[in-house]
Amino acid sequence: LEHIITDAAPRAIIASAKQHEKLKQLTISLPLCIDPQIILSAYRPKKLFTPITQKGDVLAALLYTSGTTGLPKGVMLSSDAILTNVAQGLSVFEQQENERAYAALPLFHSFMQSCVVWGA
């Protein structure tokens, strides 16, 4: 976890209060840590976040490998790459609007992200 946080250099980490306690045990300097409950309790539509427009080749997600041959490596995915992968998956699975997806794969895995999270 220390390696990934150092490598990714996030500006903020959104984690539950329980996870904050675990993060405090790390030996690295942490960015701002935010509890999602605080965000949800302060949420007012159209006031908390301003939508932005990005080019399709800009970094949209940073997923980390399992590190089987060393330390985990960050895999940079653009929104163009994600949307292309989702379109390919939807053309095979023919998912309908009223269907539900069951996530049997690990939530951190890119295949699960494409099929269940981004595809939905």
Side-chain angles (χ1 to χ4, degrees):
L1 188 56
E2 288 182 357
H3 166 73
I4 290 172
I5 293 171
T6 301
D7 186 65
R11 293 183 196 160
I13 296 175
I14 299 174
S16 68
K18 183 178 178 181
Q19 294 303 318
H20 282 185
E21 293 306 313
K22 290 181 181 180
L23 289 169
K24 287 179 188 176
Q25 295 175 14
L26 300 178
T27 61
I28 60 170
S29 176
L30 292 171
L32 172 68
C33 292
I34 305 168
D35 187 322
Q37 292 304 316
I38 293 171
I39 294 172
L40 293 173
S41 66
Y43 178 71
R44 290 179 205 97
K46 299 182 182 178
K47 293 191 180 198
L48 187 59
F49 298 104
T50 303
I52 59 170
T53 302
Q54 293 278 356
K55 292 183 178 180
D57 60 352
V58 174
L59 176 68
L62 183 60
L63 302 179
Y64 277 80
T65 65
S66 61
T68 55
T69 60
L71 292 172
K73 295 163 188 69
V75 178
M76 300 186 299
L77 298 175
S78 68
S79 55
D80 281 350
I82 292 169
L83 291 174
T84 298
N85 198 301
V86 168
Q88 292 169 341
L90 291 176
S91 70
V92 173
F93 294 117
E94 298 179 11
Q95 190 172 355
Q96 301 299 313
E97 183 178 336
N98 62 341
E99 292 181 325
R100 296 180 182 170
Y102 176 71
L105 300 165
L107 295 175
F108 59 84
H109 197 278
S110 62
F111 184 60
M112 194 287 309
Q113 293 286 327
S114 295
C115 294
V116 180
V117 176
W118 298 327

